[in-house]
Amino acid sequence: MRIAIFYEVPPQLNFDFLEPFARLLININLDNAFTPSTNIAIASMLVFIQALIFNYVVNNHNLLAKPSFLPALMFVTGTSLFMPFMILSPALVSNFLLIWIIDKFLKLGKSANSITTVFDIGMIIGLGTLVYFPFMVMMVMIFLALLLFRAFSWREWVAGVTGFLTVFFFLAVFYYWNDNLSLFYQIWKPLGNKFPSVFKINYNDYLVLIPVAIIIILASLQLRENFFRSFISTRKAFQLLFFMFIVAAASFYLKPDFRTWHFLLCVPPGAVLLAYYFSNAKKRWFYETLFLLFVLSVQYFLFV
């Protein structure tokens, strides 16, 4: 899936490991630490590791008809859609945290007291925000998950916010110690950005998404057909992942200079839906041909 980028390695690749506001706390400069080839190789290894972890999470929560490596396959394929997906980026690193919180979200309905779990999710989102600021919108998912999986408890709702604020409380203290508290307030300015009403899109760059859209439509029809025959926990899980996909895609507006790799955050929830279709499809000749066309279209648009 990464032949195209190894065939024509970019002359220079930068890797911004942390948001600028977090570098006062953790001063790790990896901008030019790797050669382009090393950058791509490490990114490929990270994707492979993420795919295995993601596969375990999906199978562990019985989201598909039977355990398989389909989630990992769809994850690897999804992270190969565009060239920018194949390099080290904050969104790629954040996917480790996103997979982690997906696992914790899916455990909410299985425990009697979820305050600790929700607090942990809030802290993970806080850490993810230090790496990539738009990751903050996953706070919305805490409230959606609580609505889906839990009866209302104000302690659980407050626990998630408290966990998130704990991370930034320590960051604020560090800013205060360094007489930079005024700069701390600048961190939150992107929250005032208006959602863009006009988009400049080169549609030729996104033709590769047509096979993805077809598979997602087929998966949605399949899911609708089996919806009321599924376990309640499975229904709620797919509703959660659907909202996560939307929230992750919409969060780009928090980063005025966002790049295409931002949409790597959509891959984990999207990969579950793709895997669901191939796990439940009946006509083998059709779904295997569809997947082959999907892979070939990805490779074609990467080379042209």
Side-chain angles (χ1 to χ4, degrees), residues 10 12 21 23 36 82 84-85 87 102 162 177 191-192 226 237-238 253 257 260 268 275 285 292 304:
Q12 184 178 0
F21 63 79
R23 294 192 178 188
F82 304 103
F85 281 13
I87 63 175
I102 287 174
T162 305
W177 281 347
L191 294 177
N226 297 332
F238 276 99
Y253 83 98
D257 57 340
T260 302
W285 66 269
L292 179 62
V304 297

PDB file of all heavy atoms in Angstrom, residues 10 12 21 23 36 82 84-85 87 102 162 177 191-192 226 237-238 253 257 260 268 275 285 292 304:
ATOM      1  N   PRO A  10       9.649  12.011  -0.896  1.00  0.00           N
ATOM      2  CA  PRO A  10       9.745  13.481  -0.861  1.00  0.00           C
ATOM      3  C   PRO A  10      11.130  13.925  -0.412  1.00  0.00           C
ATOM      4  O   PRO A  10      11.787  13.241   0.384  1.00  0.00           O
ATOM      5  CB  PRO A  10       8.680  13.876   0.180  1.00  0.00           C
ATOM      6  CG  PRO A  10       7.735  12.719   0.225  1.00  0.00           C
ATOM      7  CD  PRO A  10       8.570  11.499  -0.038  1.00  0.00           C
ATOM      8  N   GLN A  12      12.047  16.351   1.537  1.00  0.00           N
ATOM      9  CA  GLN A  12      12.122  16.744   2.945  1.00  0.00           C
ATOM     10  C   GLN A  12      10.773  16.533   3.627  1.00  0.00           C
ATOM     11  O   GLN A  12       9.721  16.835   3.063  1.00  0.00           O
ATOM     12  CB  GLN A  12      12.538  18.218   3.077  1.00  0.00           C
ATOM     13  CG  GLN A  12      12.726  18.667   4.520  1.00  0.00           C
ATOM     14  CD  GLN A  12      13.193  20.111   4.610  1.00  0.00           C
ATOM     15  OE1 GLN A  12      13.372  20.779   3.575  1.00  0.00           O
ATOM     16  NE2 GLN A  12      13.402  20.599   5.811  1.00  0.00           N
ATOM     17  N   PHE A  21       2.433  25.157  22.004  1.00  0.00           N
ATOM     18  CA  PHE A  21       2.193  25.550  23.389  1.00  0.00           C
ATOM     19  C   PHE A  21       2.642  24.472  24.377  1.00  0.00           C
ATOM     20  O   PHE A  21       2.818  24.744  25.563  1.00  0.00           O
ATOM     21  CB  PHE A  21       0.718  25.891  23.623  1.00  0.00           C
ATOM     22  CG  PHE A  21      -0.244  24.754  23.408  1.00  0.00           C
ATOM     23  CD1 PHE A  21      -0.424  23.776  24.365  1.00  0.00           C
ATOM     24  CD2 PHE A  21      -0.998  24.679  22.243  1.00  0.00           C
ATOM     25  CE1 PHE A  21      -1.325  22.733  24.184  1.00  0.00           C
ATOM     26  CE2 PHE A  21      -1.905  23.642  22.054  1.00  0.00           C
ATOM     27  CZ  PHE A  21      -2.059  22.668  23.014  1.00  0.00           C
ATOM     28  N   ARG A  23       5.485  22.707  23.963  1.00  0.00           N
ATOM     29  CA  ARG A  23       6.939  22.549  23.913  1.00  0.00           C
ATOM     30  C   ARG A  23       7.641  23.238  25.076  1.00  0.00           C
ATOM     31  O   ARG A  23       8.788  22.929  25.370  1.00  0.00           O
ATOM     32  CB  ARG A  23       7.466  23.088  22.582  1.00  0.00           C
ATOM     33  CG  ARG A  23       6.976  22.263  21.401  1.00  0.00           C
ATOM     34  CD  ARG A  23       7.691  22.573  20.130  1.00  0.00           C
ATOM     35  NE  ARG A  23       7.211  21.726  19.053  1.00  0.00           N
ATOM     36  CZ  ARG A  23       7.760  21.656  17.846  1.00  0.00           C
ATOM     37  NH1 ARG A  23       8.809  22.404  17.571  1.00  0.00           N
ATOM     38  NH2 ARG A  23       7.262  20.853  16.932  1.00  0.00           N
ATOM     39  N   PRO A  36      13.749  11.522   5.155  1.00  0.00           N
ATOM     40  CA  PRO A  36      12.429  11.178   4.600  1.00  0.00           C
ATOM     41  C   PRO A  36      12.141   9.679   4.581  1.00  0.00           C
ATOM     42  O   PRO A  36      11.034   9.251   4.919  1.00  0.00           O
ATOM     43  CB  PRO A  36      12.492  11.768   3.188  1.00  0.00           C
ATOM     44  CG  PRO A  36      13.419  12.936   3.318  1.00  0.00           C
ATOM     45  CD  PRO A  36      14.463  12.490   4.301  1.00  0.00           C
ATOM     46  N   PHE A  82      -4.157   8.444   1.059  1.00  0.00           N
ATOM     47  CA  PHE A  82      -3.493   9.642   0.548  1.00  0.00           C
ATOM     48  C   PHE A  82      -2.022   9.632   0.961  1.00  0.00           C
ATOM     49  O   PHE A  82      -1.676   9.076   2.006  1.00  0.00           O
ATOM     50  CB  PHE A  82      -4.159  10.914   1.085  1.00  0.00           C
ATOM     51  CG  PHE A  82      -5.628  11.008   0.792  1.00  0.00           C
ATOM     52  CD1 PHE A  82      -6.570  10.752   1.779  1.00  0.00           C
ATOM     53  CD2 PHE A  82      -6.076  11.352  -0.475  1.00  0.00           C
ATOM     54  CE1 PHE A  82      -7.925  10.837   1.515  1.00  0.00           C
ATOM     55  CE2 PHE A  82      -7.429  11.433  -0.751  1.00  0.00           C
ATOM     56  CZ  PHE A  82      -8.357  11.173   0.242  1.00  0.00           C
ATOM     57  N   PRO A  84      -0.201  12.062   2.241  1.00  0.00           N
ATOM     58  CA  PRO A  84       0.063  12.637   3.570  1.00  0.00           C
ATOM     59  C   PRO A  84      -0.262  11.698   4.727  1.00  0.00           C
ATOM     60  O   PRO A  84       0.212  11.913   5.843  1.00  0.00           O
ATOM     61  CB  PRO A  84      -0.843  13.881   3.598  1.00  0.00           C
ATOM     62  CG  PRO A  84      -1.040  14.252   2.171  1.00  0.00           C
ATOM     63  CD  PRO A  84      -1.085  12.942   1.445  1.00  0.00           C
ATOM     64  N   PHE A  85      -1.072  10.673   4.478  1.00  0.00           N
ATOM     65  CA  PHE A  85      -1.382   9.702   5.527  1.00  0.00           C
ATOM     66  C   PHE A  85      -0.175   8.822   5.853  1.00  0.00           C
ATOM     67  O   PHE A  85      -0.147   8.175   6.902  1.00  0.00           O
ATOM     68  CB  PHE A  85      -2.531   8.787   5.084  1.00  0.00           C
ATOM     69  CG  PHE A  85      -3.906   9.399   5.203  1.00  0.00           C
ATOM     70  CD1 PHE A  85      -4.076  10.759   5.415  1.00  0.00           C
ATOM     71  CD2 PHE A  85      -5.040   8.603   5.101  1.00  0.00           C
ATOM     72  CE1 PHE A  85      -5.347  11.319   5.520  1.00  0.00           C
ATOM     73  CE2 PHE A  85      -6.318   9.143   5.215  1.00  0.00           C
ATOM     74  CZ  PHE A  85      -6.471  10.509   5.416  1.00  0.00           C
ATOM     75  N   ILE A  87       3.081   9.538   6.264  1.00  0.00           N
ATOM     76  CA  ILE A  87       4.247  10.119   6.926  1.00  0.00           C
ATOM     77  C   ILE A  87       3.939  10.351   8.399  1.00  0.00           C
ATOM     78  O   ILE A  87       2.786  10.310   8.826  1.00  0.00           O
ATOM     79  CB  ILE A  87       4.657  11.452   6.255  1.00  0.00           C
ATOM     80  CG1 ILE A  87       3.542  12.487   6.402  1.00  0.00           C
ATOM     81  CG2 ILE A  87       5.020  11.227   4.785  1.00  0.00           C
ATOM     82  CD1 ILE A  87       3.901  13.869   5.879  1.00  0.00           C
ATOM     83  N   ILE A 102     -11.443   4.624  22.392  1.00  0.00           N
ATOM     84  CA  ILE A 102     -12.523   3.790  21.827  1.00  0.00           C
ATOM     85  C   ILE A 102     -12.727   2.566  22.718  1.00  0.00           C
ATOM     86  O   ILE A 102     -13.855   2.193  23.050  1.00  0.00           O
ATOM     87  CB  ILE A 102     -12.202   3.371  20.380  1.00  0.00           C
ATOM     88  CG1 ILE A 102     -12.344   4.559  19.426  1.00  0.00           C
ATOM     89  CG2 ILE A 102     -13.118   2.238  19.928  1.00  0.00           C
ATOM     90  CD1 ILE A 102     -11.907   4.265  17.996  1.00  0.00           C
ATOM     91  N   THR A 162     -13.113  17.066  34.438  1.00  0.00           N
ATOM     92  CA  THR A 162     -12.060  17.188  35.448  1.00  0.00           C
ATOM     93  C   THR A 162     -10.770  16.523  34.984  1.00  0.00           C
ATOM     94  O   THR A 162      -9.682  17.068  35.166  1.00  0.00           O
ATOM     95  CB  THR A 162     -12.527  16.550  36.780  1.00  0.00           C
ATOM     96  OG1 THR A 162     -13.755  17.140  37.189  1.00  0.00           O
ATOM     97  CG2 THR A 162     -11.476  16.756  37.864  1.00  0.00           C
ATOM     98  N   TRP A 177       5.085  29.282  36.396  1.00  0.00           N
ATOM     99  CA  TRP A 177       6.448  29.229  36.905  1.00  0.00           C
ATOM    100  C   TRP A 177       7.433  29.932  35.968  1.00  0.00           C
ATOM    101  O   TRP A 177       8.456  30.456  36.402  1.00  0.00           O
ATOM    102  CB  TRP A 177       6.895  27.768  37.073  1.00  0.00           C
ATOM    103  CG  TRP A 177       6.363  27.120  38.311  1.00  0.00           C
ATOM    104  CD1 TRP A 177       5.765  27.718  39.370  1.00  0.00           C
ATOM    105  CD2 TRP A 177       6.377  25.719  38.609  1.00  0.00           C
ATOM    106  NE1 TRP A 177       5.396  26.792  40.309  1.00  0.00           N
ATOM    107  CE2 TRP A 177       5.768  25.548  39.870  1.00  0.00           C
ATOM    108  CE3 TRP A 177       6.839  24.593  37.929  1.00  0.00           C
ATOM    109  CZ2 TRP A 177       5.612  24.298  40.462  1.00  0.00           C
ATOM    110  CZ3 TRP A 177       6.685  23.352  38.519  1.00  0.00           C
ATOM    111  CH2 TRP A 177       6.079  23.214  39.766  1.00  0.00           C
ATOM    112  N   LEU A 191     -10.611  28.041  19.611  1.00  0.00           N
ATOM    113  CA  LEU A 191     -11.978  27.649  19.933  1.00  0.00           C
ATOM    114  C   LEU A 191     -12.988  28.688  19.464  1.00  0.00           C
ATOM    115  O   LEU A 191     -14.177  28.399  19.326  1.00  0.00           O
ATOM    116  CB  LEU A 191     -12.132  27.437  21.446  1.00  0.00           C
ATOM    117  CG  LEU A 191     -11.343  26.251  22.030  1.00  0.00           C
ATOM    118  CD1 LEU A 191     -11.517  26.201  23.540  1.00  0.00           C
ATOM    119  CD2 LEU A 191     -11.794  24.939  21.403  1.00  0.00           C
ATOM    120  N   GLY A 192     -12.497  29.905  19.207  1.00  0.00           N
ATOM    121  CA  GLY A 192     -13.374  30.962  18.710  1.00  0.00           C
ATOM    122  C   GLY A 192     -13.467  31.011  17.203  1.00  0.00           C
ATOM    123  O   GLY A 192     -14.181  31.863  16.649  1.00  0.00           O
ATOM    124  N   ASN A 226     -29.503  -5.479   9.822  1.00  0.00           N
ATOM    125  CA  ASN A 226     -29.225  -6.319  10.989  1.00  0.00           C
ATOM    126  C   ASN A 226     -29.357  -5.566  12.309  1.00  0.00           C
ATOM    127  O   ASN A 226     -29.071  -6.141  13.367  1.00  0.00           O
ATOM    128  CB  ASN A 226     -27.799  -6.889  10.895  1.00  0.00           C
ATOM    129  CG  ASN A 226     -27.626  -7.789   9.691  1.00  0.00           C
ATOM    130  OD1 ASN A 226     -28.577  -8.402   9.216  1.00  0.00           O
ATOM    131  ND2 ASN A 226     -26.408  -7.858   9.178  1.00  0.00           N
ATOM    132  N   ALA A 237     -22.530   0.790  20.118  1.00  0.00           N
ATOM    133  CA  ALA A 237     -21.131   0.945  19.721  1.00  0.00           C
ATOM    134  C   ALA A 237     -21.034   1.544  18.321  1.00  0.00           C
ATOM    135  O   ALA A 237     -20.227   2.451  18.077  1.00  0.00           O
ATOM    136  CB  ALA A 237     -20.421  -0.407  19.772  1.00  0.00           C
ATOM    137  N   PHE A 238     -21.851   1.061  17.391  1.00  0.00           N
ATOM    138  CA  PHE A 238     -21.805   1.590  16.031  1.00  0.00           C
ATOM    139  C   PHE A 238     -22.338   3.021  15.964  1.00  0.00           C
ATOM    140  O   PHE A 238     -21.848   3.836  15.174  1.00  0.00           O
ATOM    141  CB  PHE A 238     -22.572   0.674  15.076  1.00  0.00           C
ATOM    142  CG  PHE A 238     -21.751  -0.473  14.573  1.00  0.00           C
ATOM    143  CD1 PHE A 238     -21.868  -1.729  15.151  1.00  0.00           C
ATOM    144  CD2 PHE A 238     -20.845  -0.293  13.539  1.00  0.00           C
ATOM    145  CE1 PHE A 238     -21.098  -2.787  14.698  1.00  0.00           C
ATOM    146  CE2 PHE A 238     -20.076  -1.339  13.066  1.00  0.00           C
ATOM    147  CZ  PHE A 238     -20.200  -2.599  13.661  1.00  0.00           C
ATOM    148  N   TYR A 253     -11.449  22.527  11.641  1.00  0.00           N
ATOM    149  CA  TYR A 253     -11.552  23.987  11.689  1.00  0.00           C
ATOM    150  C   TYR A 253     -10.790  24.581  12.873  1.00  0.00           C
ATOM    151  O   TYR A 253     -10.512  25.790  12.905  1.00  0.00           O
ATOM    152  CB  TYR A 253     -13.018  24.420  11.732  1.00  0.00           C
ATOM    153  CG  TYR A 253     -13.654  24.399  13.090  1.00  0.00           C
ATOM    154  CD1 TYR A 253     -13.751  25.566  13.843  1.00  0.00           C
ATOM    155  CD2 TYR A 253     -14.151  23.224  13.626  1.00  0.00           C
ATOM    156  CE1 TYR A 253     -14.335  25.544  15.101  1.00  0.00           C
ATOM    157  CE2 TYR A 253     -14.735  23.200  14.873  1.00  0.00           C
ATOM    158  CZ  TYR A 253     -14.819  24.362  15.601  1.00  0.00           C
ATOM    159  OH  TYR A 253     -15.400  24.338  16.844  1.00  0.00           O
ATOM    160  N   ASP A 257      -4.230  25.955   9.706  1.00  0.00           N
ATOM    161  CA  ASP A 257      -3.295  25.448   8.698  1.00  0.00           C
ATOM    162  C   ASP A 257      -3.314  23.922   8.651  1.00  0.00           C
ATOM    163  O   ASP A 257      -2.282  23.279   8.480  1.00  0.00           O
ATOM    164  CB  ASP A 257      -1.875  25.943   8.988  1.00  0.00           C
ATOM    165  CG  ASP A 257      -1.397  25.545  10.380  1.00  0.00           C
ATOM    166  OD1 ASP A 257      -2.258  25.231  11.238  1.00  0.00           O
ATOM    167  OD2 ASP A 257      -0.175  25.547  10.618  1.00  0.00           O
ATOM    168  N   THR A 260      -4.001  17.425   5.085  1.00  0.00           N
ATOM    169  CA  THR A 260      -4.835  16.265   4.763  1.00  0.00           C
ATOM    170  C   THR A 260      -4.698  15.171   5.807  1.00  0.00           C
ATOM    171  O   THR A 260      -5.663  14.445   6.092  1.00  0.00           O
ATOM    172  CB  THR A 260      -4.458  15.713   3.372  1.00  0.00           C
ATOM    173  OG1 THR A 260      -4.620  16.751   2.400  1.00  0.00           O
ATOM    174  CG2 THR A 260      -5.342  14.536   2.984  1.00  0.00           C
ATOM    175  N   PRO A 268      -9.948   5.093  12.298  1.00  0.00           N
ATOM    176  CA  PRO A 268     -10.407   4.023  13.203  1.00  0.00           C
ATOM    177  C   PRO A 268     -11.916   3.806  13.195  1.00  0.00           C
ATOM    178  O   PRO A 268     -12.364   2.666  12.976  1.00  0.00           O
ATOM    179  CB  PRO A 268      -9.885   4.482  14.571  1.00  0.00           C
ATOM    180  CG  PRO A 268      -8.682   5.299  14.255  1.00  0.00           C
ATOM    181  CD  PRO A 268      -9.033   6.026  12.991  1.00  0.00           C
ATOM    182  N   ALA A 275     -15.049  -2.880   7.826  1.00  0.00           N
ATOM    183  CA  ALA A 275     -14.876  -4.284   8.227  1.00  0.00           C
ATOM    184  C   ALA A 275     -16.225  -4.958   8.437  1.00  0.00           C
ATOM    185  O   ALA A 275     -16.380  -6.151   8.146  1.00  0.00           O
ATOM    186  CB  ALA A 275     -14.037  -4.356   9.503  1.00  0.00           C
ATOM    187  N   TRP A 285     -17.815 -13.410  -4.636  1.00  0.00           N
ATOM    188  CA  TRP A 285     -17.234 -12.845  -5.856  1.00  0.00           C
ATOM    189  C   TRP A 285     -17.407 -11.332  -5.888  1.00  0.00           C
ATOM    190  O   TRP A 285     -16.535 -10.609  -6.398  1.00  0.00           O
ATOM    191  CB  TRP A 285     -17.874 -13.467  -7.098  1.00  0.00           C
ATOM    192  CG  TRP A 285     -19.338 -13.123  -7.273  1.00  0.00           C
ATOM    193  CD1 TRP A 285     -20.413 -13.818  -6.807  1.00  0.00           C
ATOM    194  CD2 TRP A 285     -19.861 -11.966  -7.949  1.00  0.00           C
ATOM    195  NE1 TRP A 285     -21.586 -13.192  -7.142  1.00  0.00           N
ATOM    196  CE2 TRP A 285     -21.279 -12.044  -7.845  1.00  0.00           C
ATOM    197  CE3 TRP A 285     -19.297 -10.890  -8.620  1.00  0.00           C
ATOM    198  CZ2 TRP A 285     -22.119 -11.081  -8.392  1.00  0.00           C
ATOM    199  CZ3 TRP A 285     -20.131  -9.924  -9.168  1.00  0.00           C
ATOM    200  CH2 TRP A 285     -21.526 -10.028  -9.054  1.00  0.00           C
ATOM    201  N   LEU A 292     -10.760  -5.590  -4.272  1.00  0.00           N
ATOM    202  CA  LEU A 292      -9.662  -5.503  -5.239  1.00  0.00           C
ATOM    203  C   LEU A 292      -9.707  -4.176  -5.982  1.00  0.00           C
ATOM    204  O   LEU A 292      -8.668  -3.505  -6.152  1.00  0.00           O
ATOM    205  CB  LEU A 292      -9.744  -6.667  -6.223  1.00  0.00           C
ATOM    206  CG  LEU A 292      -8.665  -6.699  -7.314  1.00  0.00           C
ATOM    207  CD1 LEU A 292      -7.285  -6.832  -6.703  1.00  0.00           C
ATOM    208  CD2 LEU A 292      -8.934  -7.838  -8.300  1.00  0.00           C
ATOM    209  N   VAL A 304      -0.840   8.723  -9.964  1.00  0.00           N
ATOM    210  CA  VAL A 304      -1.147   9.739 -10.975  1.00  0.00           C
ATOM    211  C   VAL A 304      -1.120  11.135 -10.361  1.00  0.00           C
ATOM    212  O   VAL A 304      -1.220  11.301  -9.158  1.00  0.00           O
ATOM    213  CB  VAL A 304      -2.518   9.492 -11.620  1.00  0.00           C
ATOM    214  CG1 VAL A 304      -2.518   8.174 -12.340  1.00  0.00           C
ATOM    215  CG2 VAL A 304      -3.648   9.565 -10.596  1.00  0.00           C
TER     216      VAL A 304
END
